[in-house]
């Protein structure tokens, strides 16, 4: 694979790329301000999902390495927690400025390790950088309270204090933004961290750590450990159970989230979990259908459908169903251009790995075997490789099909016909997931009713994209605990301390 405006490394460890940004591509982990190997000297390959070429090899760290990283973060916390909010704000701002300067380099790394089209990778970098900028400002607004006292000679003070070392475990679908969203917040609050990026996409995490070091982030505040799937359980156990860890911040599947939650419970750890979604996309007769279709393309096919808030079930009112489906099919055919992320004009890259490709194709095959129809797509583009799945539109989807109930996490849209607001709510809420929902209507009363009655942490009215640094991001039910972004995102990493000032009349 050839990546334009990218990076290079030693010829034995790197495929051919243009010579740009080579200092951001790392082949070691980052602990206590040092670039280190695994204590076992074991390594594992990081591959480009578009063609399976090995980009480089990284340390395959184990539980002992994870313990070293946690200890480093715990030691640094003793001093970092006492820095002023102004100082933390200044450092975060410097980190943001450097990441902005190297946006193209960071985007090239994401395209190499995650397969995203380069334009989309640049979009993720801009999105991820917005969190560093936001939390640079937020650091100086994490305030306490003075509460009116019931006693004439006493004063009640509530202050927010950093809770300690945070274990940050991030996914492969947004490998950069999920780190900046968490690490920017916890640093603003005065915490330190150990980051365990996905084994599929660790290179952007290491590049971010390099820029953090250049920005003057003290050693031990940010630590990045890398491991293969084989060592991930042992590493995760340390990150959840070590007594020096105060919080586990995880974005990923509900299945893994439940495991980590159970491990955290052993030490009564704070958790911040952003888990799987099953987002309904509801279109009512009053909606602007052309606008709803344009937004549907964003809500479904961003990152090739590999997004936790991606639209999963399209619930279209019978009065506009045929028009919507016809328009959706047309747009998919014209705008979903499959190929390697470095090729100009490509809008949809490969799925991240063979397991994900097998899952997506399995859901479609099951649905078709039970009577669903693929109006477009529905198969692999084998001429491109074994992880390129065609953008697909399914109709005649029924409750007995796996795709009706499961999160797809791929480029497959399933359309269901509804006849009423009540039916839309019944179908939308019939899931244990509760992350995001989308509603398209011009009826103001209906918009407020849907917002109130949809059992989801986030509801977008007449929009297919709802993520930003300013609002509170998160779900309910089995889609997670806590919020990211906004002031609330920083407060997740603080404890409230109550101080009673007494004998003021003495």
């Amino acid at each position: 694979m050839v990546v334009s405006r990218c990076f290079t490394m030693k010829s034995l460890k790197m495929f051919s790329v243009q010579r740009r940004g080579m200092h951001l591509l790392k082949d070691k982990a980052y602990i206590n301000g040092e670039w280190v190997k695994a204590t076992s000297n074991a390594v594992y390959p990081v591959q480009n999902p578009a063609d399976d070429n090995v980009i480089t090899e990284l340390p395959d760290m184990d539980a002992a390495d994870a313990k070293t990283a946690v200890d480093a973060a715990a030691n640094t916390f003793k001093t970092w927690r006492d820095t002023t909010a102004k100082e933390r704000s200044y450092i975060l701002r410097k980190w943001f400025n450097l990441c902005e300067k190297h946006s193209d380099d960071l985007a090239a790394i994401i395209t190499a390790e995650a397969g995203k089209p380069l334009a989309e990778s640049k979009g993720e970098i801009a999105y991820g950088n917005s969190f560093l900028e936001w939390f640079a400002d937020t650091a100086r607004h994490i305030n306490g309270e003075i509460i009116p006292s019931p006693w004439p000679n006493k004063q009640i003070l509530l202050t927010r204090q950093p809770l300690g070392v945070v274990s940050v475990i991030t996914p492969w679908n947004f490998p950069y933004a999920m780190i900046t969203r968490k690490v920017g917040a916890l640093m603003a609050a005065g915490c330190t961290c150990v980051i365990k990026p996905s084994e599929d996409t660790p290179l952007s995490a290491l590049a971010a750590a390099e820029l953090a070091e250049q920005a003057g982030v003290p050693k031990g505040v940010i630590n990045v450990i890398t491991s293969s799937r084989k060592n991930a359980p042992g590493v995760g156990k340390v990150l959840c159970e070590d007594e020096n860890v105060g919080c586990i911040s995880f974005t990923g599947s509900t299945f893994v989230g439940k495991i980590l939650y159970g491990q955290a419970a052993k030490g009564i750890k704070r958790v911040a979990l952003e888990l799987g979604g099953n987002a309904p996309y509801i279109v009512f007769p009053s909606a602007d259908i052309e606008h709803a279709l344009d937004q549907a393309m964003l809500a479904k096919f961003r990152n090739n459908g590999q997004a936790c808030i991606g639209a999963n079930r399209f619930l279209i009112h019978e009065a506009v169903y045929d028009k919507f489906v016809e328009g959706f099919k047309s747009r998919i055919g014209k705008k979903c251009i499959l190929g390697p992320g470095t090729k100009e004009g490509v809008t949809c890259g490969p799925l991240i790995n063979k397991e994900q490709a097998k899952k997506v194709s399995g859901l479609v095959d099951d649905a078709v075997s039970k009577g669903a129809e693929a109006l477009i797509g529905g198969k692999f583009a084998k001429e491109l490789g074994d992880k390129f799945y065609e953008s697909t539109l399914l109709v005649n989807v029924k409750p007995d099909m796996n795709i009706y109930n499961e999160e797809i996490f791929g480029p497959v849209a399933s359309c269901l016909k509804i006849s009423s607001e009540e039916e839309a709510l019944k179908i939308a809420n019939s899931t244990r997931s509760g992350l995001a929902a989308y509603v398209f209507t011009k009826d103001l009363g209906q918009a407020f009713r849907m917002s109130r009655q949809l059992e989801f942490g986030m509801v977008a009215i007449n929009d297919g994209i709802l993520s930003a640094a300013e609002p509170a991001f998160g779900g309910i039910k089995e889609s997670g605990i806590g919020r990211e972004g906004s002031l609330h995102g920083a407060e997740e990493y603080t404890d409230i301390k109550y101080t009673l000032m007494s004998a003021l009349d003495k």
Side-chain angles (χ1 to χ4, degrees):
M1 183 184 109
V2 178
V3 181
S4 62
R5 305 184 68 189
C6 191
F7 44 80
T8 184
M9 277 196 68
K10 297 173 185 178
S11 59
L12 292 177
K13 290 189 174 182
M14 187 68 193
F15 53 82
S16 178
V17 292
Q18 292 185 16
R19 194 175 189 85
R20 177 178 172 85
M22 61 182 293
H23 61 288
L24 292 186
L25 188 68
K26 297 294 182 179
D27 62 356
K28 293 182 176 64
Y30 186 68
I31 298 177
N32 202 32
E34 301 291 334
W35 296 98
V36 298
K37 300 178 180 180
T39 53
S40 66
N41 284 322
V43 296
Y44 78 99
V46 179
Q47 295 176 292
N48 177 346
D51 54 19
D52 293 331
N53 279 336
V54 174
I55 303 171
T56 189
E57 292 180 333
L58 287 180
D60 192 2
M61 293 181 146
D62 57 20
D65 296 301
K67 173 62 176 172
T68 299
V70 169
D71 289 346
N75 185 60
T76 298
F77 177 66
K78 297 173 184 177
T79 53
W80 177 251
R81 66 185 176 187
D82 293 328
T83 57
T84 65
K86 182 177 181 180
E87 183 177 354
R88 296 195 295 272
S89 174
Y90 175 73
I91 291 173
L92 280 167
R93 175 66 64 171
K94 285 186 66 178
W95 189 17
F96 162 73
N97 288 336
L98 278 172
C99 290
E100 282 283 281
K101 179 181 178 180
H102 293 280
S103 290
D104 286 350
D105 304 325
L106 291 166
I109 290 175
I110 290 180
T111 291
E113 67 180 351
K116 293 185 182 185
L118 192 55
E120 193 161 331
S121 294
K122 291 179 180 180
E124 180 184 342
I125 297 301
Y127 175 56
N129 288 350
S130 73
F131 288 102
L132 296 180
E133 181 181 35
W134 171 261
F135 287 116
D137 294 336
T138 302
R140 302 183 71 176
H141 298 281
I142 302 173
N143 300 319
E145 301 173 55
I146 298 178
I147 297 176
S149 170
W151 311 287
N153 65 334
K154 302 177 185 180
Q155 182 69 67
I156 297 171
L157 307 179
L158 299 184
T159 53
R160 288 190 174 272
Q161 297 187 323
L163 53 75
V165 176
V166 181
S167 294
V168 174
I169 305 174
T170 57
W172 46 261
N173 59 336
F174 290 92
Y176 178 79
M178 295 304 94
I179 286 174
T180 56
R181 185 161 76 178
K182 297 174 186 295
V183 177
L186 66 88
M187 282 181 59
C191 296
T192 59
C193 68
V194 177
I195 303 168
K196 165 59 178 75
S198 167
E199 56 273 8
D200 290 310
T201 56
L203 300 176
S204 49
L206 295 169
E210 166 66 27
L211 293 174
E213 183 180 77
Q214 292 180 28
V217 176
K219 67 178 185 179
V221 171
I222 295 175
N223 304 273
V224 183
I225 56 175
T226 58
S227 74
S228 65
R229 282 180 175 81
K230 179 188 71 173
N231 284 338
V235 168
K237 191 172 188 293
V238 171
L239 295 183
C240 288
E241 297 183 8
D242 191 279
E243 63 181 11
N244 284 322
V245 172
C247 176
I248 296 90
S249 181
F250 170 73
T251 295
S253 72
T254 300
F255 174 78
V256 174
K258 288 180 178 180
I259 294 173
L260 299 179
Y261 196 7
Q263 292 175 334
K266 296 178 182 179
I268 317 297
K269 311 282 189 182
R270 181 83 62 83
V271 293
L273 305 175
E274 195 260 283
L275 307 178
N278 193 353
Y281 191 99
I282 305 169
V283 180
F284 289 111
S286 67
D288 180 329
I289 300 302
E290 293 301 311
H291 176 68
L293 285 166
D294 289 340
Q295 295 299 305
M297 295 298 294
L298 298 173
K300 176 70 258 184
F301 295 106
R302 182 176 60 143
N303 197 25
N304 211 18
Q306 299 173 115
C308 56
I309 59 171
N312 208 51
R313 300 166 291 161
F314 289 81
L315 311 181
I316 314 302
H317 195 278
E318 59 188 6
V320 294
Y321 180 86
D322 291 341
K323 181 178 180 180
F324 184 91
V325 169
E326 181 181 351
F328 206 8
K329 177 184 176 183
S330 176
R331 278 169 169 77
I332 292 171
K334 293 177 182 177
K335 296 186 177 183
C336 291
I337 303 171
L338 199 58
T342 52
K343 185 176 180 180
E344 188 174 351
V346 163
T347 61
C348 297
L351 295 169
I352 188 66
N353 53 42
K354 292 179 181 178
E355 291 78 11
Q356 189 65 19
K358 182 179 178 180
K359 175 192 173 184
V360 171
S361 64
L363 288 172
V364 174
D365 292 347
D366 171 78
V368 171
S369 72
K370 295 174 180 176
E373 179 185 359
L375 296 183
I376 189 171
K379 63 184 186 300
F380 284 101
K382 293 183 179 179
E383 69 278 9
L384 294 173
D386 59 5
K387 292 185 288 296
F388 289 89
Y389 198 82
E390 294 180 352
S391 301
T392 301
L393 177 60
L394 290 180
V395 295
N396 302 327
V397 175
K398 300 294 190 297
D400 66 331
M401 302 172 184
N402 293 334
I403 205 166
Y404 184 94
N405 301 300
E406 294 186 27
E407 183 181 23
I408 302 168
F409 228 69
V412 181
S414 58
C415 287
L416 290 75
K417 187 182 295 185
I418 59 170
S419 59
S420 66
E421 186 176 309
E422 292 72 24
E423 184 181 12
L425 285 166
K426 181 179 179 180
I427 295 174
N429 291 336
S430 64
T431 172
R432 286 299 303 155
S433 297
L435 190 57
Y438 305 90
V439 178
F440 287 78
T441 178
K442 290 183 179 179
D443 183 331
L444 185 60
Q446 185 175 60
F448 276 101
R449 288 194 303 273
M450 296 299 288
S451 175
R452 184 176 66 250
Q453 296 174 34
L454 282 166
E455 296 170 359
F456 296 83
M458 300 176 287
V459 179
I461 306 296
N462 296 323
D463 207 312
I465 299 291
L466 48 66
S467 299
E470 290 80 2
F473 185 104
I476 60 174
K477 297 191 286 188
E478 291 187 8
S479 284
I481 297 172
R483 292 296 181 268
E484 295 188 316
S486 78
L487 176 61
H488 300 287
E491 291 177 343
E492 287 286 338
Y493 301 107
T494 65
D495 288 319
I496 295 176
K497 175 172 284 186
Y498 159 40
T499 301
L500 178 65
M501 305 294 293
S502 190
L504 300 183
D505 56 343
K506 302 299 182 181

